[in-house]
Structure formats: C-alpha cells, structure tokens
C-alpha cells in the first residue's frame, strides 16, 4: 500500500481523508501536477513546479502554501515507498476545507496538499513503433486550458468516448483546428517539418512538449508553432502525442484513417532516440 503525504502527515493511501467541505471536492477548486521519475529522480522538477506556481497565481491562491516544501515531501515519499512502485509523482493542491459551501473564494483558508507516488504503464519500443489509434471530438473545455486544474470533466468524457470506441486518445477540434489530445499535446509532421499548436490559453503547456521542442531545435529540424486544421491533421506524414505518462507516442490511425505509413515515422524515431538520451 503506497504511503502518501496529506496536510503534514505521511499515511497509507487508504487512510488518507479530506473534509467533505474541501473546495476541491465541492468545486474542483484546485490544481495538480504529474512529474515523471527516472532512476528515483523527478524529471525536470523545476519546470513542473514553475507551471504549478503559474496556476496557483492565476487562480488567486493565497501565500499560505509555499511550493518549496514539495522537494522535501517528495524526498520522503521516495524513502517511505519501494522504488519499484514509483515512476511518477502526483501533486494536488486545493483551496482547502471551508466553513460553508460558497462560490465566492474565501480570503482566508489553508490549502489541502496531497502528494502520492504513481506507477505509469510501460511501453516497449515495439509498442511505440506500432503506434496508437485516436478519434477526433469537439473541444468543449473552458478557455483556460493552460492551467492544470483538477476540473477535468470534459477531458474525462472525451477520453472515455475514445476508450469506448477502442482507441487510445481523443484529439480535440475547436473551430476546425486540431488543438491537442484529451490528456496530451499534439504534433504533426509534413515533409520533415514539425508543427504544433502555439502555447497559449487553448492548450496545456506540457513539460514533455517543451522538452520535445528543445530537442527539435537542438537537432536542427524544421519547426513551426501554429494552428493545425483538421484536414491537415488527417493528411499529415506523421502525428504524435506527448505527455508525462506516454513520453512521445506516434498516432498511426485517426477516425479509422491510416496516418502516413501506418507506423512510427522517421522523424519520430529521431525524436524518440533524442528523448531517451535526455532521460539518461
């Protein structure tokens, strides 16, 4: 049974409890982060915490929670848990328990802080080369997708529909543009040029996405940040998604249509190799 941190205490996850008046429970008033772990080292920890701090500031959290405490908490999570069960760290911060349910954000509160070890699925190189299937769905999310908020109902609906249709991801379409996946960022390749949506309020500013862009530039590959039409998406030479849990994963079928050669393309192979080297 994993040992987790909750509001100053380390406890078996089954014993961790929050108040029914916690604003995260009542309103989804909170944020989260998922940090990959390689060899018991949080991968690009500072970038994840910077994104968390951005969300806290944007959602007007008070200063009663300092992200500096997270480093010690994560160190203790490693000590209390077997390394075999950890290849990720989950962090959640809500606005905490309040005296009564009220839509207005209180001026005084003590945030609820939860940190837990995670175990992601592992994919072999053969799995990755084969790629995954996706569908396209209308993007019904709110207009602040750059905030990693725990209010994920539209994402859950999209991911569930993709599961029910025997696919692995839903690519979200807004105003005829392919924005990103329900749980991932999106890349497409046209004649060796890599395209991804710009990092604005319409997408989550994925840390894996940022690292891929760094690697694209380091390898001198053509690259453009711009919107991608749904027609372009279906006619791309390669399509990938990126996330903390899947790293860089090729999509080889969208809405039943084979993309490119039907397996991972040559540019994906370059980027996958570069990412594995970065992990080392």
């Amino acid at each position: 049974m994993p040992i987790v941190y909750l509001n100053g205490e380390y406890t078996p996850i089954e014993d961790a409890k929050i108040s029914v008046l916690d604003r995260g429970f009542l309103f989804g008033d909170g944020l989260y982060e998922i940090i990959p772990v390689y060899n018991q080292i949080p991968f690009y920890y500072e970038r994840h915490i910077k994104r968390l701090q951005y969300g806290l500031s944007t959602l007007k959290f008070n200063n009663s929670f300092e992200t500096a405490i997270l480093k010690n908490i994560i160190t203790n999570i490693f000590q209390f848990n077997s390394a075999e069960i950890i290849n990720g760290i989950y962090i959640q911060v809500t606005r905490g328990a309040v005296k009564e349910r009220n839509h207005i954000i209180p001026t005084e509160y003590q945030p609820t802080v939860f940190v837990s070890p995670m175990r992601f699925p592992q994919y072999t190189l053969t799995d990755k080369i084969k790629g995954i299937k996706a569908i396209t769905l209308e993007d019904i999310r709110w207009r602040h997708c750059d905030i990693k908020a725990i209010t994920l109902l539209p994402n859950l609906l999209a991911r569930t529909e993709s599961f029910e249709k025997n696919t692995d991801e839903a690519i979200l379409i807004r105003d005829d543009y392919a924005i990103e996946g329900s749980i991932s960022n999106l890349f497409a390749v046209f004649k060796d040029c890599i395209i991804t949506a710009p990092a604005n309020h319409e997408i989550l500013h994925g840390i894996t996405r940022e690292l891929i862009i760094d690697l694209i530039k380091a390898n001198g590959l053509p690259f453009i940040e711009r919107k991608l039409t749904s027609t372009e998406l279906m006619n791309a030479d390669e399509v990938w998604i990126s996330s903390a849990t899947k790293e860089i994963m090729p999509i080889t079928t969208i809405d039943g249509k084979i993309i490119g050669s039907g397996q991972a393309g040559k540019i994906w192979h370059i980027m996958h190799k570069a990412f594995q080297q970065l992990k080392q």
Side-chain angles (χ1 to χ4, degrees), residues 60-74:
K60 300 180 180 179
F61 270 65
N62 64 23
N63 296 323
S64 60
F65 168 65
E66 295 291 341
T67 56
I69 71 170
L70 290 172
K71 188 165 287 188
N72 287 336
I73 293 171
I74 292 171

Side-chain angles (χ1 to χ4, degrees), residues 66-118:
E66 295 291 341
T67 56
I69 71 170
L70 290 172
K71 188 165 287 188
N72 287 336
I73 293 171
I74 292 171
T75 297
N76 291 334
I77 290 291
F78 285 133
Q79 292 177 349
F80 292 142
N81 292 278
S82 169
E84 287 73 24
I85 71 167
I86 305 178
N87 62 5
I89 294 290
Y90 180 84
I91 301 168
Q92 180 168 306
V93 183
T94 77
R95 220 174 299 259
V98 290
K99 294 181 180 179
E100 61 180 3
R101 186 181 185 278
N102 191 324
H103 284 73
I104 298 172
I105 294 173
T107 56
E108 294 184 8
Y109 53 88
Q110 185 62 41
T112 292
V113 181
F114 172 66
V115 183
S116 172
M118 294 185 70

